[in-house]
Amino acid sequence: MNKVFDDAASALEGLLFDGMTVMSGGFGLCGIPENLILSLRDSGVKGLTVISNNAGVDDFGLGLLLHTRQIAKMISSYVGENKEFERQYLSGELELEFNPQGTLAERIRAGGAGIPGFYTKTGVGTLVAQGKEHKDFNGETYILETGLTADLSIVKAWKGDPYGNLVFRKTARNFNPMMASAGKVTVAEVEELVGPGELDPDCIHTPGIFVQRIFQGQNYEKRIEQRTIRQPEETA
Amino acid sequence: MAWTRDQMAARAAKELKDGYYVNLGIGMPTLVANFVAPDVDITLQSENGMLGMGPFPLPDEIDADLINAGKQTITELRRTSYFSSADSFGMIRGGHIDLSILGAMEVAENGDLANWMVPGKMVKGMGGAMDLVAGVKRIIVLMDHTAKDGTAKFRKSCTLPLTGTQVVDMIITDLCVFERPQKGQPFHLVELAPGVTPQEVRAKTEAHYEI
């Protein structure tokens, strides 16, 4: 068994085809698989359905794949930071499915856990509930949501080992663990690829069974969307 | 004198009780954190995967891996924990968060909330708002009493697509506070900003409420 690859391009080799569904981890630009997104762009694969909480910004993250028109459909909860997205959506070039953020997270978790559907209160009585099965439990109404899987999941972790075990850092974890479990194939990029036994088995966030290919990424930009600070004299 | 944004946030902060786990929406609701009483110890949840959110960082503390749901850089505290989005919304949808304070475009007299989309304009998405109103124990709305064109925002029914039905427990505007004892009951006008009369509130409100 060898899961370790040299870089994004080699890790994606043989996995890509037009019209495929890709899950891409991250919240905003935090914890996104920067190297893999660039490599998807360079591969020229197109007609993608991309499942990701957000759609990047115009010149970074998934915005790069929108710019090259490689994405046909997005499944997201919030896309407010991207002008090119707005243009393509309003002109009908891009299909869009909004999911409430918790519903999106749970659909992915369920998909990875072999659960084809679940009932939730989120969205009852709203546009989100249209066309979905309604069912009452203990006097409250719930709607049926389905699990999500993908042909490929691309995720980003802080550290990983040759077995595919992953550790995330702070709020860069977000959607990455569930997406790792919901891809038919999952490719992980890590800031630091460590040797066997170097990760504490009690502190692994994503067990290696969910990761088929792994590599150490490079040139992490880790762009910040809203740089907010307080001045030293202000109290917390 | 109507309340300022800071005064509205300070009024909302009075609703925070010691030990509460709280989720604050993006925009005006984030100001509420500035007015928490010193003897009230609350824990802020950020739905991108953090419990125990600290203040904005000092310039040398900025960390790209540490942001809130508004994508702003923040800091951690000694109580902080991090988790996935699925665990985060498990807390929210599982009813473990005590209170959420959110903005609104419209609220209906039955507690319906609209705060995510205006048809015909670019729709950015609901983010976590639908999950919050469906799962959090108590929902407080912070909003201007009327829209910029003077239209009442507390209405008989919402004209905009809903975020949730019958979910709002309290409304704090620049003019007054409405509250209802429990869902299914009418809202009551419980407090006026200094110098604001019940007649002024009546004139600028479409919804039915009790005094």
Side-chain angles (χ1 to χ4, degrees), chain A residues 27-28 30 54 77-81 85-86 89-90 98-103 105-106 109 118 120-128 169-175 177-178 191 222 224-232 236, chain B residues 47-50 55-59 61-76 82-87 89 93 116-117 121-128 130-132 134-135 161-165:
Chain A
F27 182 95
C30 181
N54 313 94
S77 87
Y78 189 84
V79 296
E81 328 293 347
F85 186 106
E86 182 171 336
Y89 174 65
L90 292 175
F98 276 128
N99 283 193
Q101 196 173 136
T103 294
E106 188 65 12
R109 195 196 70 81
F118 59 91
T120 179
K121 266 196 290 188
T122 298
V124 170
T126 76
L127 293 175
V128 165
R169 186 171 176 276
K170 302 186 187 285
T171 55
R173 190 180 321 185
N174 53 64
F175 281 81
M178 299 87 75
E191 286 179 54
K222 291 206 192 183
I224 292 171
E225 284 181 74
Q226 306 285 339
R227 186 177 292 269
T228 45
I229 55 168
R230 71 178 199 277
Q231 294 306 321
Chain B
E47 64 264 29
N48 55 319
M50 180 183 197
F56 294 140
L58 296 169
E61 291 177 332
I62 287 178
D63 184 337
D65 288 337
L66 183 41
I67 62 169
N68 64 17
K71 287 129 189 163
Q72 296 172 308
T73 46
I74 46 160
T75 55
E76 65 185 22
Y82 299 107
F83 34 82
S84 72
S85 301
D87 285 342
F89 282 93
R93 294 148 68 114
W116 76 282
M117 115 177 235
K121 292 199 177 172
M122 176 59 196
V123 181
K124 293 181 171 184
M126 70 290 282
M130 287 190 182
D131 306 284
L132 285 163
L162 298 181
T163 308
T165 57

Side-chain angles (χ1 to χ4, degrees), chain A residues 192-206:
Chain A
E192 190 183 348
L193 188 64
V194 303
E198 287 186 44
L199 297 178
D200 178 351
D202 265 334
C203 297
I204 285 166
H205 299 134
T206 290

Side-chain angles (χ1 to χ4, degrees), chain B residues 165-178:
Chain B
T165 57
Q166 303 182 46
V167 294
V168 177
D169 297 290
M170 180 182 248
I171 305 163
I172 299 171
T173 76
D174 49 331
L175 302 184
C176 64
V177 180
F178 298 103

